[in-house]
Amino acid sequence: MRIDIISVVPELMHSPFAGSIMKRAQEAGLAEVHFHNLRDYTTNTYKQVDDYPYGGGAGMVLMVAPIDKCISQLKAEREYDAVIYMTPDGDVLNQGMANALSLFQNIIVLCGHYKGVDQRVRDMFVTHEISIGDYVLSGGELAAAVLCDSLIRLIPGVLGNETSALTDSFQDGLLAPPVYTRPADYKGHSVPDILTSGNTPKVETWREEQALKITKQKRPDLLG
Ligand code: ADE
């Protein structure tokens, strides 16, 4: 999967992509991530990317021309399956959406900043509008990093068997069961006997029961 991220502050996203799973995926050639600074696509000497909103009001708006130039340049090089705009008024990201988007080959992720982008950007280029939750961030950059993490870990080969994404919370509509590691007893708090019994089928049943119990307690909405 190739991801092109467009932003006015791409440096905000460097560290999430520089460690752990997202780094390994890129090193293994399974994910290719390119950052594009919108200021590199301006046409005036001031490298202006934003301007006052027509009609007045607070905040600045990202201009259509530099975004057009960047997206058009990328589209001239390859076909894209989606142009995603990160925005608090988009569809709220969930595991089903991440699963579907992870099947794409090439995507563009556009980060809003200030008051967002000129509406014509959305009308002309954007195919998906995605929010990571009902709260407002200073820009779409951290949201883009969250989205990309959720997609990249689903690319076949990125996670080893031992950390398969199929056992993640939400993949089967349930939250994940509790996990333990050594020591078996810590200050009188012991690991459930079943987990040290060596009885794999019983462990599986216990995990399923726990997943159901925890989902009922914490997120009954997931059970419909
Ligand atoms: N930009 C600002 N807030 C956001 C959010 N909650 N999700 C996605 N992009 C955003």
Side-chain angles (χ1 to χ4, degrees), residues 1 12 24 44 46 49 65 72 90 95 100 117 160 163 173 176 180 191 193:
M1 171 182 252
L12 270 181
R24 267 199 279 147
N44 59 38
Y46 302 107
V49 289
S72 299
Q95 193 61 50
V117 295
T163 48
Y180 297 86
V191 171
D193 288 340

Side-chain angles (χ1 to χ4, degrees), residues 85-89 112 130-141 143-144:
Y85 174 49
M86 304 310 301
T87 172
D89 63 14
I130 296 181
S131 161
I132 63 161
D134 292 341
Y135 42 85
V136 177
L137 303 168
S138 308
E141 287 75 17

